[in-house]
């Protein structure tokens, strides 16, 4: 989850997010290289005293500065596409959960087995307990088993919402009348926080998402106790 | 809730399954997977009768894939004879 004065991305809790962080770092390396090179060239062009009044064309350098960026872009585009299609992949999931956006709360359905439905409202500030996070805590958390493939279907019953867990690299729009699929594979037990990411009305900021990741045994116990 | 999670040992051989990946719907948009399974279930029942066990496969799929609100709405429409699909 985000901690105080955190720069950059949150720590990864799923293989997908790990890949996204690798991609981010890789792209940033290229970006820094370009920025440094361009600023160096600009500095030298401003401060040198070489002048060539008769320069009209130079095919060679034009060829170089066309091919070079094209190759650089390939180095970004290929891993980017790889992750893009990896995020769409779903390999026979073990469990399906549904997240339905409402103005202004999320509701969840586990209907593979005993059809659990629950509503997840934000905890108001005056009922927070010691150690709770203001504007992030909810009354009913989504309980999920770690280290198993989970299909998440997101939809909405009114306006567009967006179901987001930054530490798992997930952001799926919930659109009325449409089912959007995503997949999760949680690396470790713990709590993962997120917020609605599509401006959906007055209380858009007050419909957070909390995942409680537990072991498979504990998950089955929870299922059976509901 | 959290105390319940910590409770006794789980049942060992839990039969557990959800709707599999369907190559007809390889995209992020799974709306049709839900709707088609709902239709298929009712078509299957229409042809084979209500006691034909294999039809329940479609039911399990649409139960997993469709939001309960949609299923309730469609079942209401089926009862009222206003369902838009060709069953
Ligand atoms: Cu929202």
């Amino acid at each position: 989850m985000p901690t105080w004065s955190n720069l950059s991305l949150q720590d990864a809790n799923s293989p997908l997010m790990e890949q996204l962080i690798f991609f981010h770092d890789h792209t940033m390396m290229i970006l820094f290289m370009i920025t440094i090179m361009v600023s160096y060239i600009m500095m030298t062009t401003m401060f040198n005293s070489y002048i060539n009044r008769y320069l009209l064309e130079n095919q060679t350098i034009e060829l170089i500065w066309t091919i070079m960026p094209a190759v650089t872009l390939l180095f970004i585009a290929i891993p980017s596409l790889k992750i893009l299609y990896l995020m769409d992949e779903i390999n026979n999931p073990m469990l399906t959960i549904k997240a339905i956006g409402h103005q202004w709360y999320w509701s969840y359905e586990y209907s593979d087995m005993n059809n659990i439905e629950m509503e997840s409202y934000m905890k108001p500030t005056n009922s927070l307990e010691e150690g709770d996070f203001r504007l992030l805590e909810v009354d009913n958390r989504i309980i999920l088993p770690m280290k198993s493939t989970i299909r998440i279907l997101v939809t909405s019953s009114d306006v567009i919402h967006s179901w987001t867990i930054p530490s798992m690299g997930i952001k799926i729009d919930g659109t009325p009348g449409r089912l959007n699929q995503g997949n999760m594979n949680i690396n470790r037990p713990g709590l993962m926080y997120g917020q609605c990411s599509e401006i959906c009305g007055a209380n858009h900021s007050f419909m957070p998402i909390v995942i409680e990741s537990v072991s498979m045994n504990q998950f089955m116990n929870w299922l059976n106790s509901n | 809730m959290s105390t319940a999670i910590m409770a006794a040992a789980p049942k060992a051989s839990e039969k557990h399954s959800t709707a599999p990946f369907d190559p007809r719907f390889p995209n992020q948009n799974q709306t049709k997977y839900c709707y088609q399974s709902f239709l298929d279930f009712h078509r299957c029942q229409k042809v084979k009768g209500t006691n034909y066990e294999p039809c329940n496969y479609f039911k399990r799929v649409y139960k997993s894939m469709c939001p309960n609100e949609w299923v309730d709405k469609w079942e209401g429409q089926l009862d009222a004879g206003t369902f838009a699909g060709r069953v």
Side-chain angles (χ1 to χ4, degrees):
Chain A
M1 69 165 301
T3 43
W4 288 264
S5 4
N6 187 30
L7 286 173
S8 192
L9 300 160
Q10 295 179 26
D11 287 345
N13 277 328
S14 75
L16 260 183
M17 191 58 198
E18 283 166 5
Q19 291 298 311
L20 285 167
I21 291 175
F22 289 147
F23 176 64
H24 168 267
D25 296 351
H26 163 83
T27 313
M28 283 304 273
M29 287 270 285
I30 296 174
L31 215 141
F32 277 125
M33 268 156 48
I34 294 171
T35 317
I36 291 167
M37 196 178 79
V38 169
S39 38
Y40 172 76
I41 293 170
M42 283 176 73
M43 293 284 270
T44 48
T45 48
M46 275 189 280
F47 295 116
N48 77 45
S49 46
Y50 299 124
I51 290 159
N52 183 348
R53 288 170 61 206
Y54 305 105
L55 178 73
L56 286 174
E57 58 173 325
N58 187 335
Q59 299 290 337
T60 318
I61 199 163
E62 283 208 21
L63 199 73
I64 292 170
W65 75 41
T66 311
I67 304 285
M68 238 176 52
V71 173
T72 314
L73 285 179
L74 269 183
F75 273 96
I76 299 174
I78 290 169
S80 166
L81 284 172
K82 194 195 83 180
I83 300 176
L84 180 68
Y85 288 110
L86 206 61
M87 291 208 290
D88 251 3
E89 203 66 56
I90 185 137
N91 304 304
N92 277 328
M94 196 226 92
L95 170 78
T96 304
I97 61 160
K98 286 164 266 175
I100 297 124
H102 305 263
Q103 277 173 324
W104 289 278
Y105 62 97
W106 290 96
S107 68
Y108 299 98
E109 292 172 8
Y110 298 67
S111 43
D112 288 337
M113 0 39 210
N114 38 359
N115 199 22
I116 300 168
E117 287 184 45
M118 60 188 192
E119 290 173 350
S120 180
Y121 285 89
M122 186 189 78
K123 265 194 195 173
T125 305
N126 55 28
S127 62
L128 288 180
E129 284 159 45
E130 185 84 24
D132 277 1
F133 296 103
R134 190 177 71 95
L135 305 184
L136 279 179
E137 223 69 49
V138 296
D139 52 0
N140 290 311
R141 292 167 176 164
I142 322 154
I143 315 282
L144 288 178
M146 62 175 176
K147 295 187 172 168
S148 47
T149 317
I150 302 158
R151 173 199 276 134
I152 167 89
L153 295 166
V154 185
T155 184
S156 164
S157 66
D158 34 57
V159 299
I160 306 178
H161 298 272
S162 186
W163 195 87
T164 312
I165 300 286
S167 66
M168 294 215 289
I170 288 185
K171 176 171 284 171
I172 306 166
D173 272 14
T175 310
R178 179 179 159 129
L179 278 177
N180 281 326
Q181 176 182 257
N183 78 83
M184 292 189 279
N185 204 318
I186 310 170
N187 274 348
R188 52 180 67 82
L191 297 177
M192 280 126 237
Y193 292 86
Q195 291 171 304
C196 178
S197 300
E198 178 66 54
I199 309 286
C200 59
N203 290 330
H204 161 65
S205 319
F206 310 117
M207 46 183 295
I209 300 144
V210 185
I211 289 181
E212 183 175 335
S213 162
V214 297
S215 73
M216 181 57 84
N217 284 352
Q218 291 170 334
F219 176 72
M220 295 309 290
N221 276 329
W222 175 75
L223 268 190
N224 293 331
S225 69
N226 268 274
Chain B
M1 186 181 284
S2 43
T3 44
I5 296 167
M6 298 306 213
K11 294 181 184 79
S13 58
E14 204 78 49
K15 182 84 187 84
H16 206 279
S17 66
T18 187
F21 169 77
D22 189 324
R24 290 176 298 171
F25 313 101
N27 304 309
Q28 186 185 48
N29 186 355
Q30 295 287 308
T31 321
K32 259 295 186 78
Y33 191 13
C34 146
Y35 182 69
Q36 194 64 45
S37 305
F38 182 82
L39 265 187
D40 285 345
F41 172 68
H42 289 283
R43 285 176 183 167
C44 179
Q45 277 207 331
K46 192 181 177 190
V47 176
K48 294 287 187 178
T50 45
N51 289 322
Y52 188 62
E53 172 55 28
C55 289
N56 289 328
Y57 171 79
F58 297 116
K59 186 168 188 168
R60 283 197 296 276
V61 171
Y62 83 67
K63 284 257 178 194
S64 284
M65 297 299 292
C66 299
N68 296 343
E69 192 191 331
W70 297 12
V71 175
D72 292 345
K73 184 176 142 199
W74 291 336
E75 274 168 355
Q77 289 174 341
L78 275 175
D79 291 339
T82 54
F83 185 66
R86 222 157 21 86
V87 174

